Amino acid sequence: MAEEKRLMKGNEAIGEAAIRAGCDAYFGYPITPQNELTAYMARYMLDSGRVFIQAESEIAAMSMVYGAAAAGGRAMTSSSSPGVSLKQEGISYACGADIPCVVVNVARAGPGLGGISPAQGDYFQSTRGGGHGDYYHIVLAPKSVQEAADLTYEAFGLAEKWRMPVMILADGLIGQMMEGVVLPAAVDPGARPDRPWCAGGRAGLAREANHVSSCILDPAGLEASVRARFERYERIAAERTRFEAVNVEKADLILVAYGTAARVCLGAIQAAAKEGLELGLFRPISLWPFPKDELARLAKAGKRFLTVEMSMGQMVEDVRLAVNGTVGGAVAAVDFFGRCGGVIPSEEEVLAEAKRIVDAMNASTAEPRSGSARR
Amino acid sequence: MEVVYGHPKSLKPIQTKYCPGCGHGAIHRLIAEAVDELGVQDRAIIMNPVGCSIWADLYFDFDSVQVPHGRTPAGATGVKRMRPDHLVICYQGDGDLAAIGTAEIVHAANRGEKFTTIFVNNAIYGMTGGQMAPTTLVGQKATTAPHGRDPDGAGMGYPIRVSEMLATLGGTKYIARGSVDSAINVRKTKHYIKRAFEAQLRGIGFTMVEILSPCPTNWQMSPPQAADWVASDMIPFYRLGEIKNELVEGGGA
Ligand SMILES: Cc1ncc(C[n+]2csc(CCOP(=O)(O)OP(=O)(O)O)c2C)c(N)n1
């Protein structure tokens, strides 16, 4: 079944994986650093009779996705940070109407127009329900071209199973770099789950009319629907939380990072090993649901954490929430190191920061470290 | 005995929440009659917009999709592209279509999206309680234009003739403006709607029927006064009739 390895850009691998996952309709608006993805979709989707539209804006593109998915299609959009801000309107509606779809954010540095270099400043927006209202959706963060393809491929089925948008949160580096990738086989269109709730296909009035909507004006009814969704969130957390752990049992200090930052951390860990220093890596793959239970377990085992991000510190809040109360309430068990604005932290500076913390840990063996973490 | 006039099958036999004299109810009925006559109830989908007609899904007995304010044509684009054999009805108010959703309607029309927009022009924001709309007439009062719409002095701009504007675009094949102020105009409007639906089912480009519609509550008039005001003030500015007709009757385009 497995194909040969090909050399592809992350953006193109995401596009090819979406096509193989049976994406029926793609809607997008140009923005760097994800333009290759939109161009890839234009080339393939138009030639194969599927739907491709270069929309008038990201706002419109997201509502096109909403409409296509409400009508039963596998629909997708992609953008980068400023464009994803505009998509938040439609993402909130899709969450409120339980519409499955795939949204890719090949993130760049903000705020505002910011820059076009890779960054991780969209973590809060992605994992907190970036639009208005009480909701979450699945967020998956690839660290390589291969993983970007695999997660995108899987995202369509996850969206359908859990009736929600699934976001792929990559960054400009993942989108732009070329790596070897083995692509999954095309999904059999007949193997897709039914969508009995969708609009259209009411042949012969065989069923009641379907209404795809997020509008519930009665407060008790709306509360019940939000609560039902939150129960679903619990089940997703139990079933779909994903992470990668490297050398976490041996190491006393565990680096916590996702995406490109996690690759840098892996380099730092290897450099440390050469110097005889054991470091671990905990890499959340699902940013929502966040792998908090495993982090709490490691904290209880006495581990310390250094969160490394391409931002001023966003995921670190989730790490602190996860370990909070597990180490005698010592919040300082979680340190932070970050670069922002499109600057990628170097292995050397991550290693230097890790050494500083390990030295401090060794110096104060008797009492737990105190004081607030460095920013 | 043959029934010559009855309740349309596609419209549920329930009372609407619309105010007395509001045009939405009459327009709903015209849509339902046209859907029934074309025999497409089981493949009709209405996009119900943010506005007073958010409740359209309570009344029509066919599928519906509710989208964000103004994104109705973008949502309709997604629906129609996935379901090209369905009759997709993009129902919009003047705030939805001519203010917050201006980009979406212009580009859907220009792409020649093959759905039908029903544009309900009541020259006011109904649902939010009578604010100025892009189609509010010069001098007409609104809660946000308490002294009347003043295009230059207060910088409120001029009422937009959307149908004429969209008629300049290559993707638009049929655009008509009707009104529900009188029996004769209701009949003509029904004819326009049916024509547009037929054209859509034949797969011709973008079709739209703008309908002048009274809003007695927010115009602060009685229902008969409101109907009269449509005739005396709106129709002279928003001329009725087929504004663009590039349909090739009976065949594809
Ligand atoms: C993004 C957003 N902005 C504003 C509103 C509030 N709002 C609801 S309906 C409406 C205007 C409706 O006017 P129109 O489209 O003319 O329809 P009508 O109610 O007159 O039928 C507004 C501004 C909203 N729901 N969403």
Side-chain angles (χ1 to χ4, degrees), chain A:
Chain A
M1 274 273 270
E3 290 187 15
E4 275 179 24
K5 202 174 230 187
R6 321 192 203 174
L7 191 63
M8 278 182 114
K9 265 196 169 190
N11 284 333
E12 293 175 341
I14 290 172
E16 183 59 33
I19 288 160
R20 291 178 183 223
C23 179
D24 299 302
Y26 172 93
F27 309 94
Y29 185 86
I31 187 167
T32 306
Q34 63 82 58
N35 287 319
E36 297 83 0
L37 173 47
T38 311
Y40 195 93
M41 298 308 268
R43 214 161 37 219
Y44 181 86
M45 301 292 275
L46 291 174
D47 287 352
S48 64
R50 302 194 204 181
V51 178
F52 169 88
I53 296 180
Q54 180 177 327
E56 57 271 30
S57 69
E58 291 86 350
I59 296 178
M62 190 60 216
S63 275
M64 290 175 190
V65 166
Y66 179 102
R74 284 197 158 175
M76 167 187 181
T77 184
S78 65
S79 188
S80 180
S81 309
V84 176
S85 291
L86 292 186
K87 289 186 197 296
Q88 294 301 334
E89 174 191 70
I91 293 172
S92 168
Y93 273 69
C95 288
D98 301 314
I99 291 181
C101 58
V102 175
V103 179
V104 178
N105 182 0
V106 183
R108 58 191 242 183
L113 194 54
I116 59 170
S117 303
Q120 296 182 327
D122 295 356
Y123 181 91
F124 283 151
Q125 185 195 55
S126 311
T127 58
R128 265 46 179 183
H132 61 285
D134 241 354
Y135 71 88
Y136 297 93
H137 56 71
I138 294 172
V139 183
L140 305 173
K143 68 150 195 207
S144 64
V145 172
Q146 180 68 57
E147 201 174 44
D150 292 344
L151 294 177
T152 304
Y153 185 79
E154 197 187 352
F156 288 88
L158 279 178
E160 269 156 17
K161 173 164 188 201
W162 297 108
R163 293 279 305 272
M164 60 167 56
V166 172
M167 180 178 282
I168 304 294
L169 181 60
D171 61 56
L173 200 80
I174 306 285
Q176 290 297 323
M177 75 183 171
M178 290 185 95
E179 280 186 321
V181 54
V182 180
L183 288 155
V187 162
D188 169 11
R192 288 197 203 171
D194 282 347
R195 294 187 178 197
W197 51 268
C198 79
R202 191 191 179 194
L205 302 178
R207 55 160 171 80
E208 292 288 295
N210 279 345
H211 303 297
V212 182
S213 173
S214 62
C215 180
I216 304 175
L217 291 172
D218 140 54
L222 183 52
E223 183 185 49
S225 95
V226 172
R227 280 186 182 278
R229 210 168 285 125
F230 272 69
E231 279 163 24
R232 202 186 324 149
Y233 296 162
E234 292 295 319
R235 281 186 282 138
I236 299 171
E239 275 187 44
R240 291 317 299 201
T241 304
R242 296 253 220 104
F243 59 87
E244 182 193 16
V246 179
N247 201 36
V248 291
E249 306 303 338
K250 272 201 219 153
D252 289 332
L253 180 67
I254 297 172
L255 309 182
V256 187
Y258 67 96
T260 293
R263 290 173 81 109
V264 174
C265 288
L266 274 176
I269 290 169
Q270 281 159 13
K274 284 189 193 133
E275 297 179 23
L277 172 64
E278 295 275 8
L279 293 177
L281 172 70
F282 186 84
R283 179 173 73 92
I285 298 171
S286 59
L287 301 185
W288 193 93
F290 189 74
K292 57 181 181 348
D293 293 346
E294 181 63 9
L295 271 174
R297 188 187 71 75
L298 292 167
K300 279 197 194 101
K303 307 290 182 184
R304 293 290 187 273
F305 303 95
L306 169 60
T307 305
V308 179
E309 295 180 67
M310 284 141 60
S311 77
M312 291 300 287
Q314 299 193 7
M315 183 180 72
V316 65
E317 292 193 3
D318 280 338
V319 178
R320 290 196 175 121
L321 280 171
V323 308
N324 189 25
T326 56
V327 206
V331 176
V334 179
D335 277 273
F336 173 75
F337 180 79
R339 298 296 303 264
C340 65
V343 179
I344 298 173
S346 69
E347 290 173 13
E348 293 73 25
E349 57 191 355
V350 171
L351 180 56
E353 185 65 12
K355 278 187 190 158
R356 192 193 61 76
I357 295 164
V358 170
D359 288 348
M361 280 160 60
N362 293 339
S364 62
T365 40
E367 48 195 310
R369 275 158 45 72
S370 61
S372 63
R374 275 166 39 104
R375 287 230 159 194

Side-chain angles (χ1 to χ4, degrees), chain A residues 89 93 132, chain B residues 18 22 24 49-54 68-71 91-100 119-129 131 133-135 215 218:
Chain A
E89 174 191 70
Y93 273 69
H132 61 285
Chain B
Y18 300 125
C22 166
H24 280 303
V50 175
C52 287
S53 48
I54 184 83
H69 192 23
R71 316 301 166 223
Y91 195 104
Q92 296 193 261
D94 43 53
D96 197 72
L97 182 143
I100 193 168
F119 169 32
V120 180
N121 179 356
N122 58 12
I124 201 94
Y125 282 23
M127 170 156 260
T128 40
Q131 294 84 358
T135 50
C215 180
N218 288 301

Side-chain angles (χ1 to χ4, degrees), chain B residues 100-145:
Chain B
I100 193 168
T102 319
E104 283 77 8
I105 192 66
V106 167
H107 291 278
N110 193 49
R111 286 192 304 267
E113 295 295 342
K114 297 177 176 72
F115 57 77
T116 303
T117 297
I118 301 293
F119 169 32
V120 180
N121 179 356
N122 58 12
I124 201 94
Y125 282 23
M127 170 156 260
T128 40
Q131 294 84 358
M132 186 179 77
T135 50
T136 295
L137 294 178
V138 170
Q140 183 189 337
K141 286 189 175 163
T143 60
T144 50

